[in-house]
Amino acid sequence: MSKAVFLDRDGVLNEMYFNKETNEFHPPFEAADVKLYDGVLESLKVLQKNDYLLFIVTNQPDHAKGKASLDDLMNVREEFQRIFNENNIRFSGQYYCFHHPEGIVPEFSGHCDCRKPGNYFVMEAIKDFDVDARSSWFIGDRDKDIICGTNSGLRTIRIRSNYYEYKNKTDADFVVKDLKEASEIILKNNL
Ligand SMILES: [Mg+2]
Ligand SMILES: [Zn+2]
């Protein structure tokens, strides 16, 4: 069986974008706004080198909410892919949920099973890639991520959030400052 690390995207790999007009943080909507945190690429390489399959599991509801076009979100996704390719980082799967329960774009609105804390994508990956959940991890910065990981039988690490920390109530197995610390914990607790 394989071992895996499931990663939330925004706030874990990259900074959120601060929108001065709306005075709120949101994921990047343009390629130029994709800013990875320091040390992220190195940490992904270390995990990869230690035989962890890598997955991204991300909620991207801003098209459903009418705040971005689907093209914007796809361009940003491609920019991430470009950066990963350039650095020889290979994700076995990148799972994007574009839905939102209260969206205004009908096609993407209403209930879905793939939006975290739902674990549809994680369970699909566990099955498709023969992942041993016990030796695998979920890393995120919000309660939704930790609940998704726990409900999938994974160990969980929460990255302290620059944006949502005050909202987080769920206990993760570990709480750390960044992905580098998270990857160190994973290697130390290798099963
Ligand atoms: Mg996040
Ligand atoms: Zn969904």
Side-chain angles (χ1 to χ4, degrees), residues 97-99 112-115:
C97 167
F98 293 109
H99 309 111
C112 71
D113 293 324
C114 49
R115 181 176 163 78

Side-chain angles (χ1 to χ4, degrees), residues 8-12 14-18 23-29 37 58-62 65 67 115-116 140-146 158-170 175:
D8 170 41
R9 196 190 76 181
D10 305 304
V12 171
N14 60 290
E15 297 174 24
M16 300 282 273
Y17 175 82
F18 183 69
N23 216 29
E24 59 183 15
F25 288 99
H26 61 63
F29 294 160
Y37 288 121
T58 177
N59 291 348
Q60 296 295 328
D62 287 300
K65 289 175 175 175
K67 295 183 182 179
R115 181 176 163 78
K116 294 176 290 184
D141 66 340
R142 302 186 75 171
D143 282 349
K144 288 178 177 53
D145 301 308
I146 303 311
R158 190 158 58 72
I159 308 275
R160 264 180 234 110
S161 174
N162 295 332
Y163 318 102
Y164 303 115
E165 197 59 16
Y166 67 99
K167 288 187 185 168
N168 284 327
K169 308 253 185 295
T170 309
V175 180

Side-chain angles (χ1 to χ4, degrees), residues 15-185:
E15 297 174 24
M16 300 282 273
Y17 175 82
F18 183 69
N19 187 325
K20 293 189 195 86
E21 281 156 39
T22 59
N23 216 29
E24 59 183 15
F25 288 99
H26 61 63
F29 294 160
E30 289 180 41
D33 296 329
V34 175
K35 305 260 189 285
L36 297 196
Y37 288 121
D38 286 346
V40 158
L41 295 171
E42 291 73 12
S43 302
L44 294 172
K45 283 181 199 172
V46 167
L47 292 171
Q48 184 167 263
K49 212 170 141 207
N50 283 274
D51 299 324
Y52 284 91
L53 300 183
L54 301 176
F55 296 93
I56 287 176
V57 185
T58 177
N59 291 348
Q60 296 295 328
D62 287 300
H63 172 57
K65 289 175 175 175
K67 295 183 182 179
S69 74
L70 197 54
D71 272 355
D72 293 337
L73 302 186
M74 296 312 278
N75 288 340
V76 166
R77 179 177 177 160
E78 276 168 32
E79 174 63 6
F80 275 93
Q81 189 58 54
R82 190 191 63 73
I83 296 169
F84 299 145
N85 289 348
E86 200 174 80
N87 289 278
N88 296 314
I89 293 165
R90 191 176 169 276
F91 280 88
S92 297
Q94 298 186 47
Y95 302 99
Y96 278 60
C97 167
F98 293 109
H99 309 111
H100 192 272
E102 285 132 43
I104 56 166
V105 178
E107 216 184 323
F108 292 95
S109 300
H111 173 81
C112 71
D113 293 324
C114 49
R115 181 176 163 78
K116 294 176 290 184
N119 66 349
Y120 175 85
F121 286 144
V122 174
M123 296 316 283
E124 187 173 76
I126 286 177
K127 180 162 52 77
D128 290 351
F129 292 85
D130 197 25
V131 169
D132 179 10
R134 279 179 53 255
S135 53
S136 299
W137 299 77
F138 202 110
I139 305 175
D141 66 340
R142 302 186 75 171
D143 282 349
K144 288 178 177 53
D145 301 308
I146 303 311
I147 295 166
C148 173
T150 302
N151 288 345
S152 309
L154 307 172
R155 284 174 288 171
T156 57
I157 303 176
R158 190 158 58 72
I159 308 275
R160 264 180 234 110
S161 174
N162 295 332
Y163 318 102
Y164 303 115
E165 197 59 16
Y166 67 99
K167 288 187 185 168
N168 284 327
K169 308 253 185 295
T170 309
D171 283 337
D173 295 317
F174 298 89
V175 180
V176 300
K177 137 168 140 323
D178 58 15
L179 189 60
K180 182 164 186 288
E181 276 190 20
S183 62
E184 288 163 3
I185 284 176

